[in-house]
Amino acid sequence: AAGADSSTVSVDRCPGDVNGDGRINVADLLLVLGAYGSNPCDASVLEAVVQADVNADCRVGVNDLLLCLGAFGQVCSNVAAEG
């Protein structure tokens, strides 16, 4: 977005924001690590595991972790606008 801080993600869904707090930080990385190896497409899994599947490929793995790391430190545009 024009005039946006370079650390702001200007999308409705913030890729890598696993816990939904609008920031990609260590909390998100820990959630991915905690769900690592899980199958979020299994109906019996918790919502946290589903959210940890950042790339939505029905498994929590290295690609999800790399997506979080790539976005680490970013703030979602809706959070940046709030202050």
Side-chain angles (χ1 to χ4, degrees), residues 39-66:
N39 175 359
C41 293
D42 182 341
S44 67
V45 300
L46 301 173
E47 182 64 23
V49 173
V50 174
Q51 295 303 317
D53 185 17
V54 179
N55 65 355
D57 68 350
C58 288
R59 66 181 171 169
V60 180
V62 69
N63 291 328
D64 302 298
L65 187 57
L66 291 173

Side-chain angles (χ1 to χ4, degrees), residues 3-68:
D5 182 312
S6 63
S7 66
T8 300
V9 178
S10 58
V11 294
D12 291 334
R13 181 177 175 265
C14 219
D17 181 22
V18 178
N19 64 1
D21 69 354
R23 293 169 171 78
I24 296 89
N25 54 30
V26 71
D28 301 299
L29 294 175
L30 290 173
L31 287 170
V32 172
L33 287 171
Y36 199 88
S38 298
N39 175 359
C41 293
D42 182 341
S44 67
V45 300
L46 301 173
E47 182 64 23
V49 173
V50 174
Q51 295 303 317
D53 185 17
V54 179
N55 65 355
D57 68 350
C58 288
R59 66 181 171 169
V60 180
V62 69
N63 291 328
D64 302 298
L65 187 57
L66 291 173
L67 286 168
C68 282

